[in-house]
């Protein structure tokens, strides 16, 4: 795409000043036509998530893990406890709400899910991005959210996993950053994929339902008022607690926060991460920020060819 | 970046036709230095796998799942059974070897693991690729395999997961496509990361240990002669059975084979996939091959700006 545009601009500019002398490019061999449209190589991130058996296997395995875990917790004889979750007023940003309602009764069990790339695959919108190379566009995204029902497929494993949860009496709650104005289209997409039902403000909460924008802690607090949340799943750390996304530029610190201490104990143990390397809050960082100094290596100089970046 | 290049080319071309005898580049402003080395943006695949809290969470969760599963199987009172695994002589490429040895005794339990991006993170070698943009180079890779000990870190969750398996009396076996000539360096790397011990041809098998090249079925058959394999884990479908990689170009068929029927029942249930979007046999396919026709979408024409690839 870039190459095609460059050549177009260059030849337009040159055409403008011919025939003063021979255009500098005239003797160059015609460029090979760049692959375009459906023939272009897909980005590796999309090859993995939308095209690979590996990603399908990973999500089937994760959804099995979620259902096995939550169904087992729901059958325990001991007093139920909420899993820790991000809350606006909790110390450190994460708390464990009571599973006993104000009237002394037990709150019903629930599992809370992100939607995009956790329950639904946005192959339709991502196809458009891959085809055109266009960056994220909120208007296009909202059109997709409104009209993608039937094209958006379930994440492999989600239909079975959600059915098992509902059969065990566990409420399925969706907490998504799709805009509240796309509620009808989002409900249609969830139900067309076999992952419904979804009812806005009952078991579906969207960005704009409160004043916290894309931060989900407020919606989590609202859900936890009515339910005993025994499992959460998402593709982004913000699906578990907003505190993880307080500083997206602090690459190493963000990873360490998730991977060490109290939070490390929760992965696969109440919190479940569905892998999505296509987009997310992690999509930041230079080579120097992603690779810590003690994890770097270079071949011995005799093996290393001269390049522009090194030596 | 695209916009900057377009403007640069346009101004170069225009400068070219103003004063006929001026050296074409002389009046152009010096180009802004491209980001290089450690300051370059890291590829999204590496940002996710090596830099994100999401990937750390996913691997911690998967390793917890592996250990929970295998320890539970090892404690069952019923007659132990092998998990299905790829074997050279099995019908359809996958079989279930007996867990009873020829002398009538029970074979000891084992779990079989790929090494790279399953047990060890190859941040050192991948840093070099990210820094230089160089494609995979077998000589550089072998140098890394020989000398990377101490730089290669464990996949988050692997140290704990492997310790739990060993404590439960389950043998840990490594089946890697590192070359057999790198055995000493690979053992050093596995042990420096806290994931050993490893002993070549006892619990470590490499490419070149037999005549099957990168296909692992022969090594799996050899392991299954001596062990009752109750769990397998890897980042590539070839870590489970060679049949998945018989035709890497058949994108949709390869995904369907892993995600449907008998194999779909194994993910998280004896077979465990550790996500790796940086490299693998899945790294094939055009936009048209990755996105099936029924998963595509475009915005309505009134919203779609004119581009060269569409309309």
């Amino acid at each position: 795409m870039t190459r095609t545009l460059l050549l177009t601009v260059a030849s337009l500019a040159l055409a403008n000043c011919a025939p003063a002398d021979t255009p500098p490019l005239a003797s160059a061999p015609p460029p090979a036509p760049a692959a375009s449209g459906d023939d272009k190589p897909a980005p590796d991130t999309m090859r993995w998530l939308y095209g690979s058996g590996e990603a399908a296997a990973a999500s089937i395995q994760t959804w099995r893990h979620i259902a096995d875990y939550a169904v087992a917790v729901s059958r325990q004889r001991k007093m139920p406890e909420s899993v820790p979750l991000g809350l606006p007023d909790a110390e450190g940003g994460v708390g464990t709400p009571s599973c006993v309602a104000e009237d002394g009764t037990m709150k019903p069990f629930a599992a809370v899910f992100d939607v995009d790339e956790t329950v639904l695959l946005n192959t339709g919108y991502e196809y458009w991005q891959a085809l055109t190379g266009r960056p994220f566009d909120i208007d296009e995204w909202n059109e997709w959210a409104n009209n993608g029902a039937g094209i958006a497929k379930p994440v492999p494993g989600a239909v079975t996993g959600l059915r098992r949860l509902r059969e065990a009496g566990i409420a399925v709650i969706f907490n998504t950053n799709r805009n509240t104005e796309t509620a009808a289209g989002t409900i249609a997409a969830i139900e067309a994929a076999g992952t419904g039902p979804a009812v806005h403000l009952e078991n579906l909460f969207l960005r704009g339902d409160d004043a916290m924008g894309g931060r989900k802690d407020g919606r989590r607090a609202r859900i936890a008022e009515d339910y005993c949340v025994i499992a959460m799943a998402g593709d982004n750390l913000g699906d578990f607690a907003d505190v993880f996304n307080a500083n997206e530029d602090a690459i190493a610190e963000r990873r360490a926060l998730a991977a060490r201490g109290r939070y490390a104990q929760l992965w696969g143990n109440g919190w479940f991460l569905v892998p999505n390397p296509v987009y997310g809050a992690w999509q930041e960082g230079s080579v120097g920020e992603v690779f810590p100094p003690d994890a770097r290596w270079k071949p011995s100089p005799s093996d290393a060819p001269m390049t522009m970046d090194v030596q």
Side-chain angles (χ1 to χ4, degrees), chain A:
Chain A
M1 178 75 155
T2 301
R3 183 171 302 169
T4 314
L5 284 171
L6 287 172
L7 292 170
T8 306
V9 171
S11 45
L12 285 176
L14 290 167
N16 225 4
C17 42
D21 45 23
T22 308
L25 296 183
S27 62
S36 66
D38 289 342
D39 296 329
K40 279 193 300 196
D44 276 348
T45 54
M46 297 187 189
R47 285 172 167 171
W48 191 83
L49 186 60
Y50 302 123
S52 82
E54 282 82 355
S59 65
I60 290 170
Q61 155 187 305
T62 304
W63 273 100
R64 184 189 309 282
H65 203 180
I66 294 166
D68 285 351
Y69 174 89
V71 170
V73 169
S74 74
R75 290 177 181 163
Q76 284 173 358
R77 292 181 179 219
K78 66 178 184 181
M79 186 75 161
E81 284 179 19
S82 167
V83 73
L85 62 165
L87 296 170
D89 299 327
E91 190 180 339
V94 178
T96 306
S98 171
C99 285
V100 181
E102 285 189 8
D103 65 4
T105 60
M106 298 306 301
K107 299 177 186 175
F109 289 125
V112 178
F113 298 92
D114 175 50
V115 173
D116 295 308
E117 273 56 47
T118 299
V119 170
L120 296 181
L121 288 182
N122 288 291
T123 43
Y125 178 77
E126 298 297 338
Y127 168 74
W128 173 245
Q129 283 205 302
L131 186 72
T132 59
R134 286 169 58 76
F136 180 78
D137 178 306
I138 186 65
D139 292 330
E140 289 178 356
W141 172 258
N142 283 335
E143 187 183 339
W144 161 252
N146 281 326
N147 301 329
I151 306 174
K153 298 288 183 292
V155 167
V159 171
T160 301
L162 291 172
R163 191 186 62 232
R164 290 181 58 203
L165 295 174
R166 288 179 171 124
E167 285 174 356
I170 300 164
V172 170
I173 316 270
F174 303 107
N175 186 2
T176 172
N177 273 339
R178 289 186 177 208
N179 197 287
T180 189
E181 283 144 30
T182 72
T186 297
I187 289 168
I190 290 171
E191 298 191 344
T195 52
V199 179
H200 189 196
L201 300 178
E202 291 189 12
N203 76 329
L204 171 65
F205 299 87
L206 301 101
R207 178 202 297 252
D209 286 349
D210 65 19
M212 290 185 69
R215 284 174 291 140
K216 294 183 170 181
D217 278 354
R219 287 175 258 157
R220 274 185 280 267
R222 178 171 177 173
I223 294 163
E225 284 177 15
D226 295 330
Y227 292 96
C228 178
V229 178
I230 57 174
M232 296 200 295
D235 62 323
N236 191 300
L237 296 182
D239 296 323
F240 305 91
D242 291 336
V243 66
F244 291 116
N245 289 343
N247 183 0
E248 292 170 6
D249 294 330
I251 311 287
E253 292 79 358
R254 188 174 178 274
R255 181 168 166 110
L257 186 63
R260 296 183 189 160
R262 65 184 289 213
Y263 301 128
Q265 305 307 315
L266 291 170
W267 302 115
N269 188 30
W271 290 8
F272 297 86
L273 196 294
V274 183
N276 169 17
V278 174
Y279 63 86
W282 51 268
Q283 208 166 16
E284 302 279 344
S286 65
V287 170
E289 289 167 326
V290 166
F291 292 91
D294 66 349
R296 299 177 192 175
W297 175 87
K298 295 181 182 183
S300 59
S302 60
D303 293 341
M306 295 289 287
T307 79
M308 291 176 60
D309 287 330
V310 294
Q311 299 285 330

